[in-house]
Amino acid sequence: MASSSSSGLTFKLHPLVILNISDHYTRIKAQSQPPPTSSAVNDAVSSPPPPRVFGCVIGVQRGRTVEIFNSFELLYDSSTHTLDRAFLENKQELYKKVFPHFYVLGWYSTGGDAQESDMHIHKALMDINESPIYVLLNPSINHAQKDLPITIYESELHVIDGIPQLIFVQSSYIIETVEAERISVDHVAHLKPSDGGSAATQLAAHLTGIHSAIKMLNSRIRVLHHYLLAMQKGDLPCQNSLLRQVSSLLRRLPAIESEKFQDDFLMEYNDTLLITYLAMFTNCSSTMNEMVDKFNTAYDRHSRRGGRSAFI
Amino acid sequence: MNLNMNSVETLVAQIHGLSGSISDINQLHSLLKQSEDLFQSESTRLAPLLTELDPFMHSLGYLYILDACTSAPISKEQASELVLSIARFINLCAAEQIRLAPDKFTSVCKRFKDQVMLLEDPMQGVAPMLTAIRKLQLSSEHLTTLHPDFLLFCLLAKCYKPGLSILEDDIFDVDQPRDFFLYCYYGGMICIGQKKFSKALELLHNVVTAPMSILNAIVVEAYKKYILVSLIHVGQFSISFPKYTSSVAQRNLKNFSQPYLELANSYGAGKISELELCVQAHNEKFEFDKNLGLVKQVVSCMYKRNIQRLTQTYLTLSLQDIANTVQLNSAKEAEMHVLQMIQDGEIYATINQKDGMVRFLEDPEQYKTCEMIERIDSSIQRIMMLSRKLTDMDEQLSCDPLYLAKVSL
């Protein structure tokens, strides 16, 4: 498999496709095996290899741009290593009615890397689309990796050892979103696994998000500051282009400077602080109240014991 | 005798030798504890030894010898010398060393206090006592036995500022309950003297509601002052005790302070004439308790309270009307009262002298300055720390065996 494609096509991937594939995979994985215990997750030897899921991707090709809009699932027959053809055509008919412009662009699967058996499926699809696309999602979670674990492969005819062979070549892609998709992706991104329903945890989650954003901003500014100091001391060579960028960044704030803004801003700030103060007060008072009750029960000789009397 | 003196000399030599590192000091401490009887027997002859020792380097040894010296009865001439030498020791000693023997240090300071009282010059005692407290305290939240003595000196010497500085610290650890009662009571008196009525109220409240198993005289006196300060500062007094007051106090305090409760009742009615009648009736009692000055302040506060009540009803009022409502003698007096209150920040108003009208204003604080932000921020920090301490105490109480025994019955 070569590293980059030479076909010159631009691929645009919609997040809906990614969500569909990941949803399909998660469902199959959850249904096929009992949920792994925490020890089993770490021990890669004992757990069975994750199942592979298959499906089709559909979209539009205009000129040199291939835009992948949607996807649907397919059944995979592992004995014959083929996809269920009849189902595929059925589904294709249905989709054609709703989206007349879309047609099958290729297929998707999950796994770490493209495998040899995939080529069979690829060739089988070649009669629908002469150059199908293979979208591969890597379900293993890698926290160090910043990019999406999606790769798009095209097939190219290369001469290897004198034999012309079809092999997969990787292509780059960009993510394209419609407004509706942006909202749903945002929603999914903020879903918490435990009860995200109560207002307190939602507020805490919201504030945590803001806090981490500010922390990141702070660390980046610190890096810049450190860099500028080093430049001032002379440890680093002076780069005027960088200095210009920093200067333009600094001029963006403060955005408003008028006195009325100051007044309103400080008043609102003080209001928030007062509310925090009030909340802490209430918290403290309730702790104090409980403590006083406990103290009275423990130490005051003649306090009423609230319902316990000698006559019971 | 000579044998004893020789062993004392060897001890002094050891003090010199073993005052270096921490382990040496611990060793020295155990040695000194063992030779206590020796010190006691030789107490009259130990004074010249003190000159051989350095109060800073050999604080522990110096302390033991000083303690033995002062345990003997002191004559009046020696008293002033002794006071000076103890003061010098307190100023120079090393805090870590004396914290190893806190009760000895406390007894030396107590004798210091007795001598100063004998000399009737409490001013001498203020500064050394303050240094002694700071050196003995494990942290600024720790109440030592020396605190009430220090406050007593401040009261007698009428030197209130250092007393106030000590009162600003929040207290979380108390050695002896009696110290706490005395500390709060004296502290309350100092604050009353400085006209810091809110802090005085807080301190006296602490005395009245502190846990106790039997009533003591300090609490009774404090309760009387508490009623008066509450009338001056808040304008009303509620008879019911908060629920954390001990049941002993709840049942018995009222019996001892009848005249004060009657005063509070007539204050609540709002008529100056009735109040003055009440004061006249119990004059001897108030004078006996030395609270007459406070009672007079209560009466003058009545006028202030009434004028403040007017701000809630009227927007503008003439000076003559104010004088009539508040039962003052003339408009001039009313003007003086209102002027004084504006200066003290108790009301917000402007006086128009041409037509003798007073216009009452709102609190001009807009809460939009940076200073206000800092104030609120520091308050929030304080309350967070307090909240943490409270949660710790709450957990400790939950694990207390006494509490668990009573709850699981």
Side-chain angles (χ1 to χ4, degrees):
Chain A
M1 294 163 221
S3 48
S4 62
S5 99
S6 49
S7 64
L9 289 175
T10 3
F11 291 100
K12 290 188 182 173
L13 188 61
H14 276 248
L16 180 59
V17 177
I18 308 175
L19 284 176
N20 276 345
I21 304 176
S22 109
D23 178 56
H24 185 196
Y25 171 74
T26 320
R27 240 186 306 123
I28 297 296
K29 186 159 168 221
Q31 285 168 358
S32 66
Q33 59 191 29
T37 55
S38 54
S39 56
V41 166
N42 293 327
D43 191 357
V45 178
S46 60
S47 65
R52 294 192 71 189
V53 297
F54 297 88
C56 254
V57 292
I58 60 178
V60 177
Q61 177 162 7
R62 297 190 192 96
R64 308 298 289 167
T65 326
V66 179
E67 201 162 344
I68 310 173
F69 276 98
N70 208 342
S71 66
F72 56 86
E73 304 158 15
L74 286 176
L75 276 175
Y76 177 66
D77 194 353
S78 45
S79 51
T80 57
H81 292 278
T82 54
L83 294 172
D84 189 350
R85 222 24 217 265
F87 182 72
L88 179 95
E89 277 164 16
N90 211 358
K91 266 296 225 218
Q92 210 179 350
E93 286 298 313
L94 291 171
Y95 268 97
K96 263 289 191 219
K97 286 189 196 151
V98 184
F99 302 107
H101 298 290
F102 291 2
Y103 52 88
V104 176
L105 288 175
W107 63 292
Y108 70 77
S109 173
T110 57
D113 221 349
Q115 290 166 15
E116 293 301 327
S117 51
D118 297 344
M119 201 33 102
H120 296 280
I121 310 174
H122 205 81
K123 287 188 184 150
L125 276 179
M126 271 173 147
D127 57 342
I128 306 183
N129 187 328
E130 59 279 353
S131 165
I133 306 168
Y134 175 32
V135 180
L136 182 66
L137 172 91
N138 188 350
S140 59
I141 304 173
N142 187 357
H143 294 287
Q145 187 188 16
K146 296 287 188 214
D147 303 327
L148 289 169
I150 304 246
T151 11
I152 297 193
Y153 292 107
E154 275 189 292
S155 59
E156 279 188 359
L157 205 58
H158 278 228
V159 179
I160 299 173
D161 305 327
I163 312 169
Q165 270 186 344
L166 270 179
I167 58 165
F168 284 123
V169 295
Q170 230 178 355
S171 342
S172 61
Y173 60 93
I174 53 177
I175 302 284
E176 172 101 7
T177 40
V178 183
E179 272 312 312
E181 281 180 316
R182 196 167 302 176
I183 297 173
S184 53
V185 167
D186 198 46
H187 187 76
V188 168
H190 289 142
L191 267 181
K192 297 285 180 267
S194 53
D195 66 322
S198 81
T201 44
Q202 271 180 356
L203 178 67
H206 175 243
L207 287 176
T208 326
I210 295 190
H211 176 247
S212 45
I214 296 182
K215 206 161 76 163
M216 198 160 64
L217 178 69
N218 190 18
S219 67
R220 300 220 171 138
I221 294 183
R222 223 179 271 278
V223 165
L224 272 180
H225 184 230
H226 199 69
Y227 181 72
L228 286 174
L229 274 177
M231 246 204 285
Q232 193 182 42
K233 263 194 285 190
D235 298 336
L236 294 170
C238 236
Q239 269 189 306
N240 281 324
S241 61
L242 205 65
L243 286 175
R244 273 197 291 272
Q245 282 183 332
V246 171
S247 161
S248 79
L249 185 70
L250 286 176
R251 283 203 217 302
R252 285 206 198 151
L253 281 180
I256 319 180
E257 194 56 71
S258 74
E259 196 185 304
K260 178 131 195 336
F261 171 71
Q262 273 290 91
D263 284 347
D264 285 344
F265 172 66
L266 284 176
M267 236 196 296
E268 221 177 288
Y269 192 95
N270 272 325
D271 284 341
T272 323
L273 278 182
L274 278 171
I275 301 225
T276 321
Y277 194 36
L278 185 65
M280 294 244 53
F281 247 123
T282 321
N283 196 10
C284 234
S285 310
S286 102
T287 323
M288 180 88 101
N289 195 23
E290 284 176 20
M291 202 186 83
V292 166
D293 283 335
K294 287 195 181 116
F295 188 80
N296 279 341
T297 343
Y299 289 100
D300 214 7
R301 254 183 286 157
H302 306 285
S303 66
R304 286 181 291 121
R305 290 201 210 158
R308 288 180 218 281
S309 73
F311 298 107
I312 289 180
Chain B
M1 279 311 149
N2 267 338
L3 202 62
N4 274 345
M5 271 317 282
N6 279 339
S7 34
V8 169
E9 306 256 317
T10 44
L11 265 177
V12 170
Q14 276 181 326
I15 292 176
H16 273 281
L18 286 176
S19 293
S21 64
I22 307 268
S23 50
D24 284 345
I25 301 240
N26 286 333
Q27 200 186 350
L28 182 62
H29 189 206
S30 38
L31 261 175
L32 288 171
K33 272 200 273 210
Q34 286 164 359
S35 8
E36 278 225 34
D37 310 323
L38 188 59
F39 281 134
Q40 291 296 65
S41 61
E42 293 295 319
S43 54
T44 44
R45 291 201 254 175
L46 289 175
L49 288 174
L50 285 177
T51 49
E52 293 175 33
L53 292 174
D54 174 34
F56 180 69
M57 297 262 292
H58 314 124
S59 302
L60 197 56
Y62 201 104
L63 179 64
Y64 268 83
I65 299 187
L66 196 59
D67 181 49
C69 281
T70 51
S71 58
I74 314 272
S75 59
K76 200 134 186 209
E77 310 85 43
Q78 284 184 326
S80 47
E81 261 185 47
L82 190 63
V83 159
L84 284 172
S85 65
I86 298 186
R88 187 174 147 265
F89 169 62
I90 294 178
N91 283 333
L92 292 173
C93 67
E96 310 82 36
Q97 289 199 23
I98 55 162
R99 277 187 202 148
L100 289 172
D103 33 342
K104 286 249 173 273
F105 188 68
T106 322
S107 66
V108 167
C109 290
K110 283 252 184 265
R111 288 195 204 116
F112 172 71
K113 166 190 167 232
D114 296 331
Q115 297 306 315
V116 170
M117 301 293 270
L118 255 176
L119 288 175
E120 288 170 12
D121 184 15
M123 200 59 178
Q124 269 194 11
V126 172
M129 213 42 138
L130 182 59
T131 338
I133 290 181
R134 290 278 177 237
K135 289 196 178 164
L136 188 58
Q137 262 184 340
L138 294 170
S139 72
S140 71
E141 300 161 356
H142 181 215
L143 188 76
T144 61
T145 326
L146 302 174
H147 275 86
D149 295 335
F150 170 67
L151 288 180
L152 183 62
F153 280 152
C154 288
L155 270 175
L156 290 172
K158 298 212 192 322
C159 159
Y160 298 128
K161 289 264 168 55
L164 279 179
S165 68
I166 277 275
L167 285 170
E168 308 245 306
D169 296 332
D170 294 323
I171 303 286
F172 285 107
D173 286 320
V174 177
D175 275 342
Q176 288 270 346
R178 187 169 168 272
D179 301 332
F180 180 69
F181 283 123
L182 276 175
Y183 170 79
C184 287
Y185 180 60
Y186 289 146
M189 285 173 70
I190 290 184
C191 290
I192 292 176
Q194 291 291 96
K195 300 242 188 294
K196 291 202 188 317
F197 288 116
S198 60
K199 183 103 190 140
L201 198 63
E202 186 190 314
L203 285 165
L204 291 170
H205 183 86
N206 281 342
V207 187
V208 172
T209 57
M212 62 186 105
S213 41
I214 29 172
L215 208 54
N216 55 46
I218 308 173
V219 179
V220 171
E221 293 302 315
Y223 187 57
K224 296 177 186 165
K225 290 206 166 56
Y226 177 65
I227 298 179
L228 293 174
V229 174
S230 153
L231 286 178
I232 294 176
H233 186 68
V234 180
Q236 60 194 24
F237 177 72
S238 69
I239 310 241
S240 63
F241 288 98
K243 71 174 177 182
Y244 45 88
T245 328
S246 64
S247 47
V248 174
Q250 278 187 13
R251 278 179 299 182
N252 298 327
L253 271 179
K254 299 203 193 140
N255 307 337
F256 291 96
S257 34
Q258 256 329 100
Y260 296 86
L261 290 171
E262 283 177 20
L263 189 70
N265 278 339
S266 60
Y267 189 97
K271 293 262 179 279
I272 297 272
S273 38
E274 279 184 27
L275 191 65
E276 302 213 325
L277 274 173
C278 189
V279 171
Q280 284 299 101
H282 299 285
N283 210 357
E284 308 84 39
K285 204 62 176 34
F286 292 151
E287 200 160 338
F288 179 70
D289 292 333
K290 302 205 180 66
N291 284 336
L292 204 53
L294 264 182
V295 171
K296 292 207 166 70
Q297 285 192 33
V298 170
V299 175
S300 67
C301 250
M302 178 72 126
Y303 293 114
K304 284 193 202 163
R305 208 54 65 189
N306 287 340
I307 295 181
Q308 268 182 346
R309 232 177 296 178
L310 285 176
T311 65
Q312 288 170 349
T313 335
Y314 297 96
L315 270 182
T316 54
L317 203 54
S318 73
L319 285 169
Q320 190 57 47
D321 283 332
I322 293 182
N324 292 341
T325 333
V326 177
Q327 294 168 349
L328 282 167
N329 291 334
S330 69
K332 259 288 167 224
E333 268 190 43
E335 187 177 342
M336 288 207 335
H337 270 274
V338 172
L339 200 59
Q340 187 62 39
M341 284 172 77
I342 298 177
Q343 273 182 348
D344 292 337
E346 287 162 9
I347 60 172
Y348 303 101
T350 48
I351 306 181
N352 189 338
Q353 289 198 313
K354 261 198 300 181
D355 49 5
M357 298 293 287
V358 178
R359 171 136 29 102
F360 297 120
L361 304 166
E362 294 257 329
D363 182 0
E365 176 61 61
Q366 287 281 355
Y367 292 98
K368 40 182 188 181
T369 54
C370 288
E371 294 86 33
M372 186 52 82
I373 293 183
E374 281 172 22
R375 255 180 75 185
I376 303 182
D377 200 36
S378 66
S379 304
I380 293 182
Q381 299 285 352
R382 268 186 74 191
I383 214 179
M384 273 169 66
M385 193 201 70
L386 190 62
S387 169
R388 242 174 275 144
K389 281 209 156 63
L390 260 183
T391 338
D392 286 339
M393 277 176 86
D394 194 24
E395 282 171 21
Q396 267 186 1
L397 255 185
S398 315
C399 308
D400 192 314
L402 262 177
Y403 169 70
L404 289 171
K406 295 222 175 135
V407 162
S408 59
L409 260 176

